[in-house]
């Protein structure tokens, strides 16, 4: 398969607001789809007859498929056309969501979640690379990424509220049916508003061997990180996944060295800004993105909140995160991306520490708010800043794969981080109880605070070593 040339930007300038609204809505769909099923899991399990062991795969199938296919999705956006991949991904979301709402067996629903994950792995880099090529680097792109980031970060929190309302009002299938008209509308809007992909560039070819080995290796790695903490690292499935993943990733490295048009061009690994951004995305997902898991346990298990009440508890962080993304975009223009990232992460570390102190058996929700506000402002600012850093200085023809690299580290970092945090917290989960549960949640939040703080110091140290 061959790539496409860059489309002209001029026709889009007349209606710049509508395309950005569509792109932000695409990110909102990805974020909502990741989080909306959490509160529906008990009803899904009872309705379809899931065993306790298998119910986790309603979430894990999505995570594994998304993490495994992001590199492929990123390069496909560069070579096959960003608008084409956006339309394919949105249509895939709409169709799989319809099937998911009609599912009658556990196997069908898990398969649907895997297909939705593939849709996310195509939609995320297509959306991000469209922003990075339609908007000039600098203030315009920073503002666009701030709006896009607000939609994504807000969706992660609003997903719990929307899921709770839909499940109580219409039942668990509604968390799938709601995606059908939204994703379908996105496909139509993208087809009408985005510039057509240009003619084929026959000088470049798709690296099939690299795509297969990378996708297989990363998929097995994410599967291992999701499955092993619950089942054990010495089980046959875990050992086989580890060996096969390492083998495929080693083969991928060999293939890339010999390929004339590799899936991941070696020049990208010489880009210090992109490498730093990949490190920040991994740390962000391992720390900031793990907080909702432990807060959900605290609200529902320690204090007995119902699904809708838990969703409402996430309204404040959702709003503050959205504010943080806008503040982050402006701060980048004023102070530079590195300073803004350090400041955002410092706020996040202070907020997580304050939140940990407020997590008590008889604590009230207002007592949590100072920590939640600081943490959420830092999270929003860091979210915007890390995507600005990932796109800065990258050639237009590589924006898709650069987005794929950064988003892959986001997924893998989240899987690694949550597994480590659950282990540090003593294995706390949905079925945990007793005084050890609260101690474990508090320990995890303090570790998150330390991790974010270490990341801020690392960025400061990196600046000192590279400033000459």
């Amino acid at each position: 398969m061959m790539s496409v040339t860059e489309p002209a930007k001029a026709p889009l300038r007349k209606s710049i607001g509508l395309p950005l609204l569509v792109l932000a809505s695409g990110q909102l769909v990805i974020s909502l789809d990741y989080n909306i099923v959490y509160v529906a899991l008990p009803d899904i399990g009872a309705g379809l007859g899931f065993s306790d062991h298998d119910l986790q795969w309603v979430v894990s199938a999505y995570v594994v498929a998304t993490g495994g296919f992001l590199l492929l999705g990123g390069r496909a956006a560069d070579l096959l056309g960003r608008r084409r991949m956006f339309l394919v991904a949105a249509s895939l979301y709409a169709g799989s969501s319809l099937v998911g709402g009609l599912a009658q067996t556990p196997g069908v629903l898990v398969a649907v979640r895997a297909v939705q994950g593939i849709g996310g792995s195509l939609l995320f880099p297509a959306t991000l690379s469209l922003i990075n090529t339609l908007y000039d680097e600098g203030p315009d792109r920073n503002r666009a990424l701030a709006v896009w980031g607000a939609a994504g970060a807000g969706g992660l929190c609003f997903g719990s509220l929307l899921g709770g309302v839909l499940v109580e009002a219409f039942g668990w299938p509604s968390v799938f049916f709601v995606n059908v008209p939204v994703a379908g509308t996105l496909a139509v809007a993208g087809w009408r508003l985005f510039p057509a992909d240009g003619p084929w560039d026959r000088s470049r070819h798709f690296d099939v061997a690299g795509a297969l080995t990378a996708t297989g290796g990363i998929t097995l790695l994410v599967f291992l990180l999701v499955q092993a903490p619950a089942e054990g690292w010495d089980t046959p499935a875990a050992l086989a996944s580890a060996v096969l993943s390492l083998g495929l990733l080693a083969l991928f490295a060999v293939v890339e060295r010999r390929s004339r048009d590799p899936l991941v061009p070696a020049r990208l690994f010489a880009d210090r800004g992109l490498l730093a951004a990949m490190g920040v995305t991994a740390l962000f997902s391992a720390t900031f993105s793990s907080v909702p898991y432990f807060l959900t346990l605290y609200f529902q298990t320690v204090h007995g909140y119902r699904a809708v009440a838990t969703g409402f508890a996430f309204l404040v962080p959702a709003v503050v995160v959205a504010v943080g993304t806008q503040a982050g975009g402006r701060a980048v223009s004023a102070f530079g991306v590195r300073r803004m990232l350090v400041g955002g992460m410092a706020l996040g570390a202070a907020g997580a520490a304050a939140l940990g102190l407020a997590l008590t058996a008889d604590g009230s929700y207002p007592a949590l708010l100072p920590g939640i506000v600081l943490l959420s402002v830092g999270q929003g600012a860091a979210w915007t800043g890390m995507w600005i850093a990932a796109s800065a200085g990258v050639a237009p023809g590589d924006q898709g794969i650069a987005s794929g690299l950064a988003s892959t580290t986001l997924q893998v970092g989240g899987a690694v981080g949550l597994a480590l945090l659950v282990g540090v917290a003593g294995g706390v989960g949905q079925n945990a109880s007793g005084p050890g549960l609260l101690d474990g949640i508090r320990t995890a939040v303090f570790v998150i605070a330390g991790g974010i703080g270490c990341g801020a110091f690392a960025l400061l140290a990196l600046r000192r070593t590279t400033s000459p």
Side-chain angles (χ1 to χ4, degrees), residues 225-226 229 233 290 414-424:
L225 296 172
V226 168
W233 294 92
S290 296
V416 172
L418 187 57
L420 292 176
L421 288 167
V422 169
V424 167

Side-chain angles (χ1 to χ4, degrees), residues 4 43 45 66 92 117 120 169 191 194 199 268 291 304 354 369 389 399 402 413 437 460:
V4 292
D43 293 83
T66 303
L92 199 59
W191 175 69
F194 299 150
L268 292 179
V291 172
L369 289 178
Q399 284 290 346
L437 171 63
L460 284 174

